Amino acid sequence: MAKEIKRIGVLTSGGDAPGMNPAVRAVVRTAAAYGIEVIGIRRGWQGLITGDFVKLTSEGVGHTLSRGGTILYTARSEDFMTEKGRKRAVGTCKVLGLDGIVAIGGDGTFRGALELSRLGIPTVGVPATIDNDIGCTNYTIGFDTACNTAIDCIDKLRDTMQSHERCSVVEVMGRNAGFLALYVGIAVGATAVLVPEKELDFEKDVVERIQASRLAGNTHFMIVVAEGVGSAVEIGHRIKEEVGLDPRVTVLGHIQRGGAPSARDRETATRMGFYAVKAFVEGHSNSIICTQEGEIVEIPIEEALAMKKTLQMYRYEVMEAMQIGSHFERPKKK
Ligand code: F6P
């Protein structure tokens, strides 16, 4: 029979993402509904080492649904990478009487959760990162809000680029993945989108696309660059040298991590937080709460960490097709 769960901890770790607060709120309120106490661990895994915590109540997490960032603070803990640090974290769990930890974050957070579970502390992960780069889940909390923030900024940039008939090079986040760049690029009708998943052919991917856009009558151009490709400033220099335009470069940076979570992020975070607590209640922890085809699935943490997700290149093709004058080769009839 599964051990009765009386008290759990919840933490947010790694880069923050809009929707982390709704996830914490959902954990607290679901736990309360099952008569489980929740301790908020502040500053991620580091707080578990130093014993930095706060008791969370259903009332206390009120009015957090619409707040960006994380009320629990976050950190990337180097101490937790060490055995000594992890042992101290286990000690904190014992002192606080925690029957498990809900860890909200990305890949690094889940690797930490796996290590902790190996030391006997049950863990459940909730994926939250604006990069959407977690293999086991179609969707990570924060991605939609970050896309909307980037789109909002690029729409504004377009106004001035259009007035001055300029080329804009915009760098978006995403670490080593191009999900954010490609979604945003499609949504703003970018002239070109550069993603790390596709080897850069500058002539074809940038020069020819600007020329085709020009031929179609455009006088301003929007180039979206995923940070994983390299510096947008460099891309700007190359455009100046090879196309003869005088681009303006904008690095959107951390603004993409802020802001009130979108409807999608609030709803997904709430469902994921709910199922994270349910996993503990039903006695199947050491897992990650994922979405597949929009539905929640729970995957054992080791299996989940081994799963890979690649950018769907058909989306790249969709982006390319949106340019007036695109020419695709048709498959030969057999
Ligand atoms: O993983 C989220 C993310 O925002 C990435 O897109 C980006 O590369 C990184 O974090 C930035 O990290 P930091 O906040 O440490 O600068």
Side-chain angles (χ1 to χ4, degrees):
M1 216 178 93
K3 181 180 176 244
E4 198 199 345
I5 303 289
K6 294 196 182 103
R7 183 183 289 169
I8 57 171
V10 61
L11 58 82
T12 52
S13 168
D16 63 351
M20 279 182 161
N21 286 330
V24 171
R25 173 183 175 273
V27 167
V28 173
R29 295 209 171 158
T30 309
Y34 282 109
I36 298 169
E37 273 188 285
V38 180
I39 303 293
I41 309 296
R42 286 190 290 224
R43 301 178 176 87
W45 297 121
Q46 190 62 25
L48 202 61
I49 294 172
T50 58
D52 186 0
F53 64 91
V54 58
K55 193 171 181 306
L56 296 175
T57 62
S58 283
E59 295 74 21
V61 292
H63 309 293
T64 59
L65 201 52
S66 59
R67 279 175 65 182
T70 162
I71 55 165
L72 289 177
Y73 303 97
T74 185
R76 293 191 169 102
S77 173
E78 288 193 7
D79 292 341
F80 199 76
M81 309 272 190
T82 67
E83 208 182 316
K84 193 172 157 212
R86 290 194 292 271
K87 282 194 173 145
R88 280 182 64 192
V90 171
T92 307
C93 292
K94 298 252 160 82
V95 171
L96 293 176
L98 301 180
D99 298 311
I101 300 270
V102 177
I104 303 167
D107 204 59
T109 307
F110 300 150
R111 294 197 186 278
L114 176 63
E115 292 299 332
L116 200 66
S117 69
R118 284 180 177 152
L119 295 174
I121 307 294
T123 55
V124 174
V126 171
T129 161
I130 65 161
D131 304 337
N132 200 21
D133 61 349
I134 310 287
C136 57
T137 185
N138 289 161
Y139 189 75
T140 61
I141 298 164
F143 179 69
D144 185 58
T145 308
C147 283
N148 286 321
T149 301
I151 288 165
D152 206 35
C153 294
I154 294 174
D155 284 347
K156 289 191 169 93
L157 268 174
R158 186 183 287 283
D159 291 342
T160 169
M161 291 302 129
Q162 195 160 20
S163 310
H164 285 265
E165 301 179 284
R166 273 177 174 156
C167 174
S168 189
V169 182
V170 185
E171 184 180 308
V172 300
M173 277 188 169
R175 206 176 284 273
N176 301 316
F179 294 99
L180 195 56
L182 191 50
Y183 272 66
V184 166
I186 289 173
V188 299
T191 314
V193 181
L194 310 185
V195 291
E197 291 83 351
K198 187 181 177 299
E199 202 188 329
L200 179 62
D201 178 340
F202 198 78
E203 181 64 25
K204 188 170 171 292
D205 299 336
V206 181
V207 179
E208 285 179 16
R209 287 191 64 85
I210 292 176
Q211 281 164 351
S213 181
R214 251 187 188 153
L215 279 176
N218 288 321
T219 57
H220 71 280
F221 314 97
M222 184 63 68
I223 316 296
V224 175
V225 182
E227 65 174 345
V229 168
S231 158
V233 175
E234 285 302 312
I235 300 289
H237 286 320
R238 282 189 78 176
I239 291 175
K240 191 167 188 169
E241 278 165 22
E242 296 180 38
V243 191
L245 295 170
D246 184 18
R248 293 295 183 270
V249 177
T250 307
V251 178
L252 292 183
H254 290 81
I255 200 161
Q256 295 160 99
R257 291 230 299 256
S262 67
R264 182 171 187 191
D265 284 324
R266 294 182 201 196
E267 195 271 342
T268 308
T270 304
R271 270 191 301 148
M272 284 182 167
F274 171 85
Y275 282 103
V277 174
K278 256 197 131 194
F280 280 124
V281 172
E282 291 170 2
H284 36 91
S285 52
N286 301 339
S287 54
I288 298 180
I289 306 298
C290 307
T291 63
Q292 281 177 6
E293 317 299 335
E295 296 303 325
I296 299 285
V297 291
E298 191 187 342
I299 303 179
I301 197 160
E302 257 178 283
E303 193 186 313
L305 282 173
M307 290 166 83
K308 299 265 173 283
K309 179 162 85 179
T310 48
L311 190 70
Q312 307 96 328
M313 289 319 284
Y314 75 83
R315 289 188 194 273
Y316 196 87
E317 219 180 11
V318 170
M319 180 277 295
E320 289 184 309
M322 290 306 107
Q323 186 165 73
I324 300 170
S326 305
H327 293 293
F328 285 172
E329 267 186 38
R330 292 193 196 194
K332 300 234 174 351
K333 280 200 181 124
K334 287 195 180 131

